[in-house]
Amino acid sequence: MLDLAHHPLRRLNPLTREWVLVSPHRTQRPWHGHLDKPAATALPAYDPACYLCPGNTRAGGHSNPAYTETYVFTNDFSALLPDTPAASAAPHPLLPAESTRGICRVICFSPRHDLTLARMDPAALRRVVDIWATQYAELNSTPGIAYVEIFENRGDIMGCSNPHPHCQIWAGSMLPNEIAKEHAAQHDYFLEHGRTLLSDYLDHELTAAERIVCANDSFAAIVPWWAVWPFEVMLVSRRPVSALDQLSSDERQGLADILKRVTSRYDNLFETSFPYSFGFHQQPAGPRDQAWHLHAHFYPPLLRSATVRKFLVGYEMLAMPQRDITPEDAALRLRQLSETHYTEV
Ligand code: H2U
Ligand code: ZN
């Protein structure tokens, strides 16, 4: 019998059809909780040096209006540009290159420099969900755009340039690699079963209950079977909608609710502002795609404390990703945490 909690084994990620090596026997030691407490750095509500705060000047001489809720602007250093000429080149048949076009934007979640998703109130979080949905709908129907990625980098170890609560949108003329993999897997599954892959996965997780972190009427937060990062979490909509703009008003409120609860649990884990990359996966441009199931991934690197982080090195760079903490253990740890932010107790 294969013992999921003890035997080294590999688990399949059915969305990307890639395997992850799980070696739980390496963590037989008991959990000692966090080992250190990082110095609390209290941020000001307004920072005159912040390029995202209301009224301040950004690179290139643009200035932010005195915004009071959310604020969207075109990234001053966009990775994708709308006017790159359509062309291709191949110095050798093995080495093709194609031009890519696109639009990059930045969304400030709040005028408050010192807040995070975990510490915003439900009404403000709801406005963030609404702006994600409208931005997605607008960009996904823009001619020449094939895929819209909305993502947040949080924490300087994730390459985030600024603690002011914000995210980015990169809308491009091509399907990015991760999306192309998930697209193929979801289409094959839908063709064979007439249901979305994530509907069937979610049903199983809700029944098994061992990898669920929390849930509401509209969304569930799961440490996926195939998690690579120590406290990786996936948000899945209960209804098989393919994108944010198909969520009802109640479901948008449900998304705001689960975001606050998951990010609060994260911050409570090591009593730090828990770093991560977070982003939505939604259907590419085109008519409603029933095979696509809206979801979001949180990829956090912290392992045992605010200073011990996981890097993908050695075997992971050269062969395949590997993890020691089982998804079941990580989900249990996250489930045991309070949803009241540690700064507010
Ligand atoms: P990150 O913190 O995730 O790096 O996002 C900040 C983005 O803000 C980054 O993509 C942009 C950077 O290009 N930016 C501006 O558009 N204007 C500025 O004045 C500074 C940074
Ligand atoms: Zn700011």
Side-chain angles (χ1 to χ4, degrees):
M1 271 286 278
L2 192 56
D3 179 348
L4 290 179
H6 297 98
H7 287 140
L9 47 84
R10 60 175 188 157
R11 297 188 186 199
L12 181 72
N13 176 344
L15 275 174
T16 59
R17 301 196 271 215
E18 289 165 346
W19 295 86
V20 52
L21 175 64
V22 187
S23 316
H25 61 293
R26 296 182 75 196
T27 52
Q28 291 308 297
R29 61 189 178 282
W31 185 276
H32 293 299
H34 63 265
L35 308 173
D36 61 283
K37 219 173 193 177
T41 41
L43 294 169
Y46 167 77
D47 178 352
C50 168
Y51 60 80
L52 297 176
C53 274
N56 291 357
T57 306
R58 303 198 310 270
H62 303 278
S63 42
N64 301 325
Y67 67 97
T68 55
E69 295 179 343
T70 55
Y71 172 57
V72 185
F73 62 91
T74 300
N75 196 312
D76 301 308
F77 306 95
S78 295
L80 296 160
L81 298 167
D83 47 11
T84 311
S88 60
H92 184 280
L94 284 171
L95 308 174
E98 297 174 349
S99 61
T100 50
R101 302 181 212 214
I103 298 167
C104 295
R105 292 179 180 163
V106 177
I107 305 179
C108 299
F109 295 156
S110 161
R112 283 271 302 270
H113 185 79
D114 57 332
L115 292 185
T116 60
L117 289 179
R119 295 185 50 232
M120 286 169 64
D121 65 61
L125 274 172
R126 169 58 191 270
R127 286 193 292 271
V128 173
V129 171
D130 287 341
I131 198 99
W132 284 336
T134 11
Q135 287 290 316
Y136 166 81
E138 181 207 315
L139 289 165
N140 207 45
S141 58
T142 298
I145 296 300
Y147 182 74
V148 179
E149 181 59 46
I150 300 176
F151 65 98
E152 179 193 11
N153 283 324
R154 204 178 88 169
D156 45 10
I157 63 171
M158 298 309 290
C160 178
S161 55
N162 188 330
H164 194 113
H166 70 282
C167 74
Q168 298 193 44
I169 308 177
W170 294 19
S173 55
M174 76 302 182
L175 286 196
N177 302 349
E178 288 303 296
I179 304 310
K181 286 183 264 182
E182 291 196 1
H183 187 80
Q186 292 184 96
H187 272 261
D188 288 353
Y189 193 91
F190 194 83
L191 210 61
E192 192 177 340
H193 302 274
R195 283 169 56 83
T196 69
L197 187 159
L198 287 179
S199 294
D200 283 348
Y201 175 62
L202 180 61
D203 280 356
H204 172 75
E205 290 294 16
L206 290 168
T207 310
E210 54 182 348
R211 283 172 297 273
I212 301 281
V213 175
C214 57
N216 58 32
D217 288 347
S218 311
F219 281 85
I222 306 163
V223 180
W225 167 258
W226 56 85
V228 168
W229 296 96
F231 293 96
E232 182 172 336
V233 162
M234 185 166 68
L235 305 182
V236 184
S237 64
R238 287 190 187 252
R239 206 160 58 85
V241 297
S242 61
L244 287 166
D245 59 343
Q246 289 158 26
L247 294 175
S248 68
S249 177
D250 282 352
E251 288 168 327
R252 289 179 185 206
Q253 205 58 53
L255 177 54
D257 169 74
I258 207 153
L259 274 167
K260 186 175 174 73
R261 293 166 60 188
V262 168
T263 52
S264 297
R265 285 171 186 275
Y266 269 168
D267 286 2
N268 290 343
L269 190 57
F270 303 129
E271 296 194 1
T272 186
S273 184
F274 197 70
Y276 56 72
S277 280
F278 162 81
F280 290 98
H281 282 167
Q282 314 185 65
Q283 80 148 80
R288 160 108 166 87
D289 186 338
Q290 287 185 296
W292 262 92
H293 193 136
L294 168 69
H295 61 282
H297 298 280
F298 280 95
Y299 297 135
L302 293 187
L303 192 54
R304 279 191 296 281
S305 73
T307 52
V308 181
R309 65 169 294 192
K310 180 180 172 76
F311 292 94
L312 297 185
V313 296
Y315 192 80
E316 299 188 278
M317 286 180 96
L318 290 154
M320 73 191 294
Q322 181 270 343
R323 61 180 284 138
D324 298 345
I325 306 174
T326 64
E328 296 73 33
D329 280 346
L332 178 65
R333 285 275 305 162
L334 288 170
R335 257 199 316 276
Q336 286 168 340
L337 290 161
S338 164
E339 290 184 344
T340 304
H341 198 267
Y342 71 93
T343 59
E344 289 162 11
V345 280

